[in-house]
Amino acid sequence: MDERKVIVVPRAQSGRVLRELRLPHPRSGVLASYYADTENEVLLEVATIDMNGRRSWLGDGWVSSDGSLSVMTPTDPLFIYLGLLTTISQGGDEWRYVDVDSLRLETNDTMDALSIGALLDMSG
């Protein structure tokens, strides 16, 4: 049997198909999970509270030994854009001009080209 997860999602995105994106977090640059409601152009950031196996969830006829809780909150894509632009435009000691459309072409260990493409397709 698959392990169940408890995830809190905004009501507007409940029951919708969400696309998983792996993008660098604007503050730390570490790859983080985001989900996109591409139909409504909403970007959701995922924050997980891990209980390290010390809690469980009980449901109607099921028990989950993973007591972690994930919360999806809407976030402005501008924060991701600015983080990406800052990372790409810094070339050593000098800054260089970077067009937003060139982000689709820039990929490295912390960026997934498909995720960036989905993010840029959202008008925010």
Side-chain angles (χ1 to χ4, degrees):
M1 182 164 99
D2 292 330
E3 184 72 19
R4 293 179 184 247
K5 302 279 184 188
V6 177
I7 302 172
V8 178
V9 181
R11 185 175 307 240
Q13 280 70 45
S14 179
R16 295 202 174 270
V17 175
L18 301 176
R19 181 176 177 182
E20 183 178 13
L21 306 178
R22 300 291 291 164
L23 298 165
H25 192 276
R27 183 176 34 136
S28 65
V30 174
L31 209 55
S33 291
Y34 293 88
Y35 285 83
D37 177 356
T38 54
E39 186 177 321
N40 294 322
E41 296 187 338
V42 175
L43 183 66
L44 301 169
E45 182 176 10
V46 180
T48 301
I49 302 165
D50 188 7
M51 299 307 292
N52 295 322
R54 288 181 259 161
R55 301 282 188 267
S56 297
W57 287 102
L58 302 173
D60 187 23
W62 58 271
V63 176
S64 174
S65 60
D66 179 8
S68 64
L69 172 69
S70 295
V71 180
M72 292 185 176
T73 56
T75 188
D76 192 335
L78 180 62
F79 293 115
I80 308 296
Y81 291 139
L82 292 176
L84 290 172
L85 285 172
T86 302
T87 301
I88 292 171
S89 63
Q90 287 178 331
D93 295 335
E94 296 183 18
W95 287 78
R96 63 184 173 110
Y97 172 78
V98 177
D99 189 328
V100 173
D101 290 330
S102 68
L103 286 176
R104 290 181 194 275
L105 305 174
E106 297 279 345
T107 57
N108 60 31
D109 294 339
T110 61
M111 294 185 214
D112 174 9
L114 295 175
S115 294
I116 291 174
L119 175 69
L120 293 175
D121 289 340
M122 297 170 48
S123 64

